[in-house]
Every structure is written in C-alpha cells, then in structure tokens.
C-alpha cells in the first residue's frame, strides 16, 4: 500500500511557511490546513464571548466547539490582534488537547495532506514523510508581516511589529504544552535571503528528496 504523503511544515510567524505549505499542497494535489488559523479562531472566539485571554478554561471550551466555518473570515484571522490572541491561547493544554484530534484527523486522510504550524512534525504528524522547519531572522519576518498588515490598512510601526514577533517567538518556544521546536528529522530552511519563488523551489526539492527516501 502506498504511504500517504504527509508534509509537515513548521516554523515561527512570518517565516513564509504558510505560503510555501499552500504551494506544496497545490503542487502535489493535497488538502492543506493552516493550523495557526485554528488557534487564531479560538483566540478571537474567546474575545467575542467577552472572555479574557488569561481564561484557560473558557479557551478550552471554545476550542472544543470550534467549527470549520469559524475559519472562513481569513482577513480577521490574519490580523495582528488575532496573531497575538493565538499565541496566548496556544499554550493552554486544554486548547491543544481539543484541537489535537481535529489536526490528526486532517493529517490522516488517505492520500496525505500538508499541514503548517508550530508542532506538526513533533506532535501532530511525527511520522510525516517530509518535515520542514522554515525560519528567517526576526527582523526580516517583522518586515514581511509589517508590509502585509500596512498594505491592507492596519496602522503599526515596524519596531512594534518586531517586538511582537520576538515576544511571540519566546512564548511559542517556551510554552510547556508542545513548544515550537525543530523536529530531529526536519530539514531546516532559512528564507531570510530568499524571495518566495526561491524559497518554494528549495522546499519542493526537500519534499522530493523525502519522497525518494520513502519510495514514493
């Protein structure tokens, strides 16, 4: 039986992992899940209910009732506020437990899938055929996100964006529940000095090498 092509793409915010994962999914004809949207939806759902981001219990309840329809408002979910909210609630064990089965079920589809996030290669799909850990310097990632947000009208200073990026990195790497770490068998891809086409080509070659190793 052919091994399903599961591609795990991990890395910090604004590293390019989401764009690369979506392109890989299109290239290989696989479904794609941006798992960060799940946590963003939980964070915004918590705030919509009048809850505080410190309320781990309510955050877990929101995560338990999450519906795919909650992921449709992509512009709201990719806002600066949603990113901050996601980073806060993602550390709660109850939230991670509630979303774990959703993500593993998505990864377990017959032909495979592409998932990007912070703990795909370590927790969600540790047996993925291809694992990539995509990163870039905080300064470059902050500039990318700053351009994205200001390009659609959000008002934020670059230095504030950089501070956000650094704070989220520290929180994601230091949390007790499934911290953001590179899987031992993941290939590191630093996109600092790459445009998106160069980065995608490098990612595709990493996946192709993994397919050869697995005889796919």
């Amino acid at each position: 039986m052919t091994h399903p092509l599961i591609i795990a793409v991990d890395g910090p915010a604004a590293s390019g992992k989401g764009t690369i994962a979506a392109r890989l999914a299109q290239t290989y004809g696989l479904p794609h899940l941006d798992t960060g949207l799940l946590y963003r939806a939980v964070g915004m759902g918590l705030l919509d209910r009048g809850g505080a981001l410190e309320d781990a219990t309510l955050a877990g309840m929101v995560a338990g009732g999450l519906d795919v329809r909650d992921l449709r408002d992509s512009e709201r979910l990719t806002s600066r506020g949603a990113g901050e909210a996601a980073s806060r609630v993602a550390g709660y064990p109850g939230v991670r437990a509630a979303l774990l089965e959703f993500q593993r079920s998505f990864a377990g589809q017959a032909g495979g899938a592409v998932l990007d996030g912070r703990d795909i290669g370590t927790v969600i799909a540790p047996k993925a055929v291809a694992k990539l850990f995509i990163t870039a310097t905080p300064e470059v990632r902050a500039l990318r996100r700053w351009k994205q947000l200001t390009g659609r009208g959000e008002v934020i200073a670059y230095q504030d964006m950089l501070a956000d990026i650094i704070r989220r990195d520290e929180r994601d790497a230091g949390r007790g529940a499934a911290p953001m770490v590179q899987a031992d068998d993941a290939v590191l891809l630093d996109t600092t000095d790459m445009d998106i086409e160069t980065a995608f080509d490098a990612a595709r070659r990493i996946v192709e090498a993994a397919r050869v190793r697995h005889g796919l």
Side-chain angles (χ1 to χ4, degrees), residues 58-121:
L58 182 56
M61 293 173 61
V62 173
L66 196 68
D67 189 280
V68 289
R69 290 172 294 184
D70 297 323
L71 308 181
R72 289 177 181 172
D73 190 354
S74 59
E75 184 162 333
R76 183 175 189 237
L77 293 181
T78 54
S79 67
R80 179 190 179 194
E84 176 65 17
S87 187
R88 296 279 291 277
V89 303
Y92 299 143
V95 171
R96 303 202 73 83
L99 298 180
L100 182 65
E101 193 54 42
F102 183 102
Q103 295 172 83
R104 284 185 171 166
S105 176
F106 191 93
Q109 296 180 71
V114 181
L115 295 86
D116 70 87
R118 302 288 196 280
D119 62 350
I120 308 304

Side-chain angles (χ1 to χ4, degrees), residues 56 60 81 84 99 111 115 132 149-150 157 164 166 187 210:
E84 176 65 17
L99 298 180
L115 295 86
L132 298 83
L149 296 180
T150 57
D164 276 1
I166 292 172
V187 178

Side-chain angles (χ1 to χ4, degrees), residues 182-206:
Q182 180 180 341
D184 291 339
D185 54 347
V187 178
L188 179 66
L189 176 57
D190 189 326
T191 67
T192 298
D193 298 317
M194 297 180 181
D195 60 25
I196 190 58
E197 292 301 328
T198 304
F200 170 68
D201 186 60
R204 184 189 56 78
R205 285 187 276 112
I206 291 169

Side-chain angles (χ1 to χ4, degrees), residues 91 93 96 171-179:
R96 303 202 73 83
R171 187 184 296 138
D172 291 345
R175 68 189 181 213

